[in-house]
Amino acid sequence: MKKSNTKKIKILPWVVGILTGLIIIGIGLFVSCTAINIHNHVFWVIVILALTFSIYFGRLANGCRDFEWVTFSKNVGSKGRTKKYTKFNFTVLPYILPIALCVILIGAGVAGSTMFNATSYAKILKVDDSDFASDLSESVGTDSIALMDTASARMLGDREIGALSDVVSQFDVSNDYMQIDYNGKPIKVSALEYADFFKWINNRNSGVKGYVTVDPVSMSASFEKSEGMKYIPSAHLMENAKRHIWFKYPTLMTENLHFEIDENGKPYYVASIVEKTISLFGGKTVSGCIVLDPVSGETVRYDVADIPRWIDVVFYGDLICEQYNWYGMYQNGYMNSLFTKKGCKQVTTYSSEDDSSDEKPVSDYGYIAKDGDIWIYTGVTSVNGDSSNIGFLLANERTGESRYYAIAGADEKSAMAAAEGEVQEKGYQASFPSLINVDGNPTYIMVLKDSGGLVKLYAAVNVEQYNIVTTAATQAECIAKYKSMLGISEIQTPTDKINSVTATIASVKYIDIDGNTYIYLIDTENNIFKAKASEHENMLLLEAGDTVELSCSGSKILSCKQSTG
């Protein structure tokens, strides 16, 4: 009997330790749905925790206490008084393996950092220099300009769902509105999600039967019915979309799980497959995607070259901006990025309005629908922190193709401020702009919203001369006024009719074009007239409220006389 008891005592710590480790690994992987992959740092955190607790509870079952507070007495002073002390005892030796793993992984992280691999990081994103006018054709019409920001899309989507009492009581609209190209036009889409755990319990058999689309051109939202979607991010247990994908591809690292629809309006979830190409944890890039049918649960894996055209977002914007910053900062080495910073550039960023915030600046970018794909665009600026761009980056979110345009001008925030200043008395706020080509002129176009988030006006701002600003109630009217201000739509011929016009001036603007100062008169009926200042010096005295008699050919002023009546 004694011999048998001795064997049980020796086996018990191993059983306890192994079971503890397996339980921690199982719970950790099931909850986090993280990839079982040596390049995944979260996986190693779970392994180290499992090893540590496995050793601790195994030794505890054997009667060993590796972590404890110990109280002891010591004689002090000449009279031999006894004083009690407390100290923490930690037995290090049994934990050599998890400690060694921590040291190795930290070393691998440092070895894969930009400090030692600057050139490799700079080569991850291939960037081609390109021509703006030829790449971004002026044939891109107003129906391909995605001006709506996510906040406006949420407001319209919530308003649409709020009118459907049977839907709003059980579901919410996801905040993750995704910009996609749908049959050649940009739209934002968002799936419905379960309002809480109990709503999932009540509706899990039928699933979520619809999604919201928002048209950024017409500023309208609609609820589209679909088959019941069961495998979605807001579901629980085995119906959670992320967990469902993880069980089918447990070794693949995935990010950017988001909602899209195909050209027939059928809903899917798409996740990007990422790889680490430098050391263990450095140099993130995309190698493909996984497409989940949320109705049936079927999944399909695609390599980058085989991704279907209807899928729009695989190389997501934040990753592209991060990769471009590696390209821009480390082309000339890591030390150059710290000290001389020769040739260093980065995408434009914005910071929290709260100056006390420790939040890091984040990338800012807009969207362009082009050739059936969604491209992100962002300004590129030098690292000295001024308010101007030295160029633009245009990148395809499906293929990762990236193009750079060397165009100097105002950054997006300066253009937004210029647009807001045009109607400063109204207090409107500008959305992040989109970039368009107007007769070879790079141009920002954006919406101006009131305090309630409603779109009130559209604004166009010239990139290279951001004092050229127009506003109007519609996109088409805004672009037409902008063209008129640039003189693009005006075609002068010997037979042009000369008109006499009496106008009351609403505002006077002075704009420099190719080194020449032009005077622009905008009358109370929103007609625009222009003249070169050097040819009509008497017009420099004009002010808002003056009445003038003009002789014009088109919008060009041939003569101007102030009315005294």
Side-chain angles (χ1 to χ4, degrees), residues 94-259:
Y95 302 92
I96 287 297
L97 180 56
I99 292 172
L101 267 178
C102 286
V103 173
I104 291 170
L105 294 174
I106 291 172
V110 173
S113 67
T114 55
M115 181 185 301
F116 301 106
N117 303 274
T119 303
S120 298
Y121 275 90
K123 291 179 179 178
I124 287 177
L125 183 68
K126 184 177 183 296
V127 182
D128 297 319
D129 292 335
S130 196
D131 179 66
F132 174 80
S134 59
D135 276 4
L136 200 63
S137 171
E138 195 179 4
S139 62
V140 175
T142 58
D143 60 347
S144 66
I145 304 171
L147 296 182
M148 180 177 293
D149 54 14
T150 301
S152 297
R154 288 173 184 163
M155 183 184 69
L156 291 173
D158 290 344
R159 185 181 299 166
E160 178 69 16
I161 294 300
L164 305 173
S165 58
D166 57 330
V167 175
V168 74
S169 63
Q170 300 295 311
F171 306 103
D172 293 328
V173 184
S174 170
N175 287 330
D176 299 326
Y177 278 83
M178 190 60 53
Q179 184 75 57
I180 66 168
D181 182 280
Y182 181 60
N183 292 321
K185 293 185 178 182
I187 66 168
K188 284 184 178 288
V189 294
S190 181
L192 299 186
E193 59 184 12
Y194 296 110
D196 53 48
F197 176 79
F198 297 103
K199 296 297 191 298
W200 171 67
I201 293 292
N202 292 335
N203 297 280
R204 61 188 299 260
N205 290 331
S206 57
V208 175
K209 294 186 175 181
Y211 56 87
V212 174
T213 64
V214 180
D215 187 333
V217 178
S218 65
M219 299 292 171
S220 60
S222 63
F223 174 69
E224 305 294 338
K225 292 184 178 180
S226 70
E227 294 184 73
M229 295 180 280
K230 296 183 179 181
Y231 301 93
I232 63 176
S234 62
H236 298 273
L237 301 178
M238 300 306 297
E239 292 179 4
N240 177 270
K242 182 179 180 181
R243 186 169 294 114
H244 184 78
I245 291 172
W246 177 75
F247 264 92
K248 292 199 173 186
Y249 305 94
T251 62
L252 293 182
M253 293 185 291
T254 60
E255 293 182 358
N256 186 42
L257 178 63
H258 64 278
F259 181 77

Side-chain angles (χ1 to χ4, degrees), residues 140 144 179-186 260-261 263 307-313 368-375 396-399:
V140 175
S144 66
Q179 184 75 57
I180 66 168
D181 182 280
Y182 181 60
N183 292 321
K185 293 185 178 182
E260 292 197 34
I261 58 176
E263 303 301 345
I307 295 173
R309 288 298 302 265
W310 66 264
I311 296 175
D312 288 304
V313 184
I368 295 173
K370 179 178 181 293
D371 303 328
D373 288 324
I374 293 294
W375 296 65
N396 188 313
E397 287 196 295
R398 181 176 63 86
T399 66

Side-chain angles (χ1 to χ4, degrees), residues 468-515:
I468 302 179
V469 185
T470 60
T471 60
T474 65
Q475 282 191 40
E477 183 185 357
C478 182
I479 293 174
K481 287 178 66 176
Y482 178 75
K483 286 184 174 182
S484 177
M485 182 170 281
L486 292 177
I488 294 170
S489 59
E490 179 181 348
I491 303 174
Q492 296 289 335
T493 68
T495 59
D496 275 344
K497 184 179 179 181
I498 298 176
N499 297 315
S500 296
V501 178
T502 300
T504 301
I505 300 173
S507 63
V508 181
K509 297 183 180 298
Y510 301 93
I511 297 175
D512 183 77
I513 301 177
D514 297 329

Side-chain angles (χ1 to χ4, degrees), residues 3 5 27 37 112 130 329 510 530:
K3 189 174 182 180
N5 286 338
I27 293 174
N37 192 306
S130 196
M329 292 294 293
Y510 301 93
K530 70 174 184 178

Side-chain angles (χ1 to χ4, degrees), residues 431-453:
S431 67
F432 192 83
S434 187
L435 184 68
I436 60 174
N437 173 14
V438 180
D439 197 50
N441 293 276
T443 303
Y444 292 119
I445 186 165
M446 67 202 81
V447 295
L448 292 163
K449 302 183 295 181
D450 63 15
S451 57

